[in-house]
Amino acid sequence: MRIELENISKRFGDFHALNEINLSIPSGGLTALLGPSGSGKTTLLRVIAGLENPESGRILFDGEDTTASDVRERRVGFVFQHYALFRHMTVFENVSFGLRVRPREERPSKKEILERVNDLLHLLQLENFSDRYPVQLSGGQRQRVALARALAVEPQVMLLDEPFGALDAKIRLELRRWLRRLHDKINLTTVFVTHDQEEALEVADVIVITNEGRIEQVGTPEQVYEAPANPFVMDFLGHVNLFRGRVHSGLAYLEGIELPAPEHHAAEDVPAVGYVRPHDLVLERKATGSGSIRARVERTQVVGSVARVSLTINGNHETIEAELTRDLFLKLALVKGEIVYVRPRNVRVFADDEI
Ligand code: ATP
């Protein structure tokens, strides 16, 4: 089921929660809506579901206008952060609920319900919990039951709102990998909301980055991470270092070094900022021509296989963070207070008017 949103806007009073959203959600994909708190992710999901009416714009499911249809007609499955399971029902009863309450003429037979629910419990690795009540399950198990319940009615689209938000970090990690495997098996068009960059980068086929009711970028995890459309996306997807300077005629001059910046070919000299990820800062003992910046080591920290080094540049006025492998860090034998040379790679230069 392909979903298209055309010029969707939604206001709450004077506040623009969604502003002229245009988005195409691929059929059978796992799409993440990722953005800071209040950026409109949940509102967008609710508009897709039919739980919220947009003020303007259209929503198409496989090319058909569904803007005026309600949740039931759109056949969407919904899972929220807080697994709203029925407490007085067992896992089996929870999962079968949506089928049992159907009008008689649409209701599957008892045998069909039993088969479908058992298949789902097997798929979601819940077959041993069929007779338990929600209170007898862990948070992760409850969330899997919520998913099974949503899947039981065979939705055309699955919408998940921070499905693992209430769980602790380790369970979250397990469940998101499990969601990916489940999705690969059933290939149901799925949209999930998250504010966790790592979760989106690891799990999604497509990431939609939202900010203040607008979409900043849509792309594969690799595209948004490696080729961020703007400084907001770059900054939002992990730590970045900023190097200030100027750019013109395809060259950037940042903190005393010269770098190619072919996308800024105009001759006009304008202020610019270079954005560099911590793992793209190469630390060296000696200066390499005019390509490296003198820096002072302020703090070092080794966590597992990675070493983080805080440095100051520019007469110790600005701090930057480098990340290197533990092996390289040990080889360099960096000591607090000493001088090293920093060579930035993969610098993304944005002129001030793009920021
Ligand atoms: P979070 O990650 O914190 O859940 P979000 O990106 O999902 O945030 P939304 O829940 O979509 O953001 O909210 C977008 C904006 O719209 C917020 O500023 C919120 O306060 C506002 N908003 C959402 N629902 C309503 C409502 N029913 N009435 C008034 N304002 C609302």
Side-chain angles (χ1 to χ4, degrees):
M1 175 68 58
R2 193 178 76 251
I3 304 170
E4 267 141 319
L5 307 179
E6 293 178 355
N7 297 317
I8 295 287
S9 290
K10 173 79 192 171
R11 262 187 306 190
F12 293 111
D14 289 342
F15 181 76
H16 261 103
L18 298 176
N19 214 331
E20 298 276 316
I21 297 278
N22 285 289
L23 176 65
S24 184
I25 295 171
S27 180
L30 187 50
T31 299
L33 303 180
L34 172 69
S37 180
S39 62
K41 308 179 292 290
T42 296
T43 307
L44 192 56
L45 200 72
R46 291 174 59 84
V47 164
I48 298 172
L51 293 166
E52 204 81 71
N53 289 322
E55 249 155 55
S56 58
R58 296 200 308 161
I59 301 154
L60 309 176
F61 276 23
D62 267 350
E64 208 172 294
D65 193 342
T66 61
T67 320
S69 15
D70 66 18
V71 193
R72 199 176 289 227
E73 287 166 318
R74 290 187 202 187
R75 291 187 44 214
V76 294
F78 223 117
V79 177
F80 300 94
Q81 177 169 354
H82 293 284
Y83 22 76
L85 298 179
F86 303 117
R87 284 188 306 162
H88 59 287
M89 290 187 198
T90 63
V91 167
F92 185 92
E93 287 162 348
N94 262 286
V95 176
S96 60
F97 180 78
L99 298 171
R100 289 188 284 120
V101 297
R102 277 189 179 167
R104 187 175 291 276
E105 60 280 10
E106 293 170 30
R107 197 184 314 154
S109 70
K110 273 200 171 147
K111 184 166 166 279
E112 283 165 335
I113 293 180
L114 184 71
E115 276 171 14
R116 192 182 302 174
V117 173
N118 280 340
D119 282 351
L120 272 171
L121 293 180
H122 176 70
L123 184 69
L124 303 202
Q125 297 160 355
L126 288 165
E127 56 269 74
N128 297 333
F129 304 106
S130 176
D131 296 328
R132 289 211 198 163
Y133 286 90
V135 72
Q136 298 168 311
L137 301 172
S138 71
Q141 289 159 350
R142 272 182 237 169
Q143 210 49 337
R144 288 188 348 237
V145 176
L147 257 164
R149 189 175 62 176
L151 286 170
V153 292
E154 299 185 317
Q156 308 189 81
V157 173
M158 185 63 112
L159 304 176
L160 314 172
D161 192 356
E162 298 262 3
F164 314 133
L167 305 169
D168 71 42
K170 191 160 175 288
I171 307 283
R172 230 184 132 99
L173 195 76
E174 272 171 28
L175 271 193
R176 73 188 192 214
R177 291 187 179 157
W178 169 89
L179 175 70
R180 181 68 241 183
R181 288 197 299 272
L182 175 73
H183 184 266
D184 290 341
K185 272 191 208 158
I186 60 176
N187 281 314
L188 179 65
T189 306
T190 303
V191 185
F192 76 102
V193 163
T194 181
H195 61 261
D196 181 335
Q197 297 86 335
E198 244 182 66
E199 186 163 290
L201 288 169
E202 184 179 320
V203 167
D205 298 313
V206 175
I207 300 183
V208 178
I209 299 193
T210 59
N211 179 30
E212 296 183 348
R214 295 178 190 275
I215 293 178
E216 297 280 355
Q217 189 172 5
V218 180
T220 62
E222 200 178 333
Q223 282 165 346
V224 294
Y225 191 83
E226 298 294 341
N230 54 41
F232 174 85
V233 176
M234 179 108 196
D235 199 21
F236 190 67
L237 290 177
H239 191 78
V240 278
N241 294 296
L242 272 52
F243 294 96
R244 288 171 206 288
R246 309 191 66 80
V247 67
H248 69 89
S249 315
L251 287 173
Y253 303 87
L254 308 169
E255 303 292 350
I257 61 171
E258 184 185 297
L259 293 160
E263 61 284 19
H264 299 278
H265 43 75
E268 192 196 354
D269 177 69
V270 292
V273 181
Y275 288 70
V276 193
R277 299 258 181 239
H279 61 259
D280 281 325
L281 291 181
V282 181
L283 303 188
E284 292 165 331
R285 288 256 165 226
K286 292 204 176 84
T288 45
S290 60
S292 54
I293 303 165
R294 188 182 146 91
R296 190 181 123 104
V297 177
E298 297 296 339
R299 204 169 100 84
T300 62
Q301 184 195 16
V302 183
V303 182
S305 58
V306 175
R308 296 201 180 95
V309 183
S310 296
L311 307 119
T312 47
I313 56 169
N314 223 342
N316 303 343
H317 287 309
E318 276 174 66
T319 303
I320 55 172
E321 300 279 339
E323 208 173 270
L324 49 159
T325 62
R326 179 197 172 93
D327 291 350
L328 185 60
F329 173 75
L330 294 176
K331 206 158 129 196
L332 282 169
L334 297 178
V335 176
K336 185 178 164 178
E338 69 181 339
I339 299 299
V340 289
Y341 292 86
V342 178
R343 193 159 46 81
R345 294 180 306 193
N346 298 324
V347 183
R348 297 197 66 84
V349 178
F350 294 100
D352 263 11
D353 62 3
E354 296 174 280
I355 298 172

